[in-house]
Amino acid sequence: MAGLNPFRRHMLVLRLDAGGLLEAFLVAAVTALLVLRFVLAVTEYPTLGGNHLHIAHMLWGGLAMMTAIVMLLVSLSRLSAELAAVLGGAGFGVFIDELGKVISRDNNYFYRPTVAIIYVIFIALVLAFRRIARTTPSSPAVNLAHALELTMEAVIRDLDAEEKQHALALLTRCDQSDPLVGALSASLRRIEAAPPASPHWVVQVRHSLDRSYRRLVARPWFGRLVVAAFVAVSLVALVQAVRRIAELAEAPEVSARIIATSARQFAQTGSLAASLAVGGLVVVGIAALRRSRLDAYRWFLRATLVSIFIGQVFAFYLQQLEALVGLTIGVLFWVTLRYTIHEEEDMIAQTGAGCAGDRGG
């Protein structure tokens, strides 16, 4: 990092837990937005401020984000960073909910494209945050900074054995001629680590899922179940595509010019294309299942990503918040497929590429 200018060199030293904090920010933002929309719908969209004033909830979102920033500025504690991530995310969700008012000429909270635009913003944030979390540069200076971050936990709270070993491992990849590296290594070795805690319930659940999955894939009906699930997905996508075609065909004034200029018909066309793409990818995945279960899962994952990143954008424009049902199903499929692909890759790594773990179901 010596060749970088000072600003970039300092900005590239990311927190060790940056990925988790960014994830907490996103979850809090989405949760706050959905809860707020639900509460406003139930209470029939009340106004706060009386006859002459309107205190928009965007202001409360800004207040929450400001509070999160202040917490980060004044505290070194990891707990403060976690609370700031949640509070800042919730504030952002409340803030962005009123996007329709600031992009429409008539300050319309219900401006139709708003929900789709908000969805695109969150998709962009997901992609950007994943890129940030995965591209942390490694260098002796960065490793030393991370070791110091872990050591700071010995002052703020007890340093457990895993954190101590991680810090020592980072120090072995630092410049050993740096006197700070030697002094910090010696200090860490003298610190008595806190006794190991019982595994977190999330870890216990993960181990239980691992054992259950390995028992499940050994069942002869597992492959047929996977095929049936994604055949159903493919059929739904194709039915939606046919319905879009029928809707466009029933409009007598539809032409290439109108489709290009009408926002609603453009969204219908985009939804049609996404549905056809999802159906086609699922068909390819079903065909690949005979050759390799892992390859089939990867095709199914591509179909799910097309649905989430492309199809749902148009769905939110056409259906507004009703599209949350489809998004929820898509996210559940994505989580399941990511897990099954990881398990398949792990089984292949343990048993060899030619073993039964990668054969079709």
Side-chain angles (χ1 to χ4, degrees), residues 3 9 103 122 130 145 176 180 210 214 279 290 309 316:
R9 183 167 66 249
I103 63 174
F122 277 115
R130 285 174 64 86
Q176 301 303 311
L180 180 58
D210 290 346
R214 292 173 186 270
R290 284 180 169 272
F309 285 95
F316 273 105

Side-chain angles (χ1 to χ4, degrees), residues 156-170:
I156 298 176
R157 63 175 180 83
D158 291 335
L159 185 73
D160 63 37
E162 183 177 352
E163 290 170 335
K164 178 178 177 180
Q165 291 302 317
H166 189 187
L168 289 171
L170 287 169

Side-chain angles (χ1 to χ4, degrees), residues 37-87:
R37 286 264 173 168
F38 174 77
V39 171
L40 289 177
V42 169
T43 57
E44 298 183 353
Y45 301 95
T47 59
L48 182 64
N51 295 328
H52 303 289
L53 297 175
H54 171 58
I55 303 176
H57 54 259
M58 176 183 288
L59 298 176
W60 300 110
L63 178 62
M65 288 189 285
M66 184 198 72
T67 304
I69 292 171
V70 171
M71 290 174 64
L72 293 174
L73 291 176
V74 302
S75 176
L76 290 173
S77 168
R78 181 184 295 180
L79 177 60
S80 295
E82 294 170 351
L83 291 175
V86 174
L87 185 60

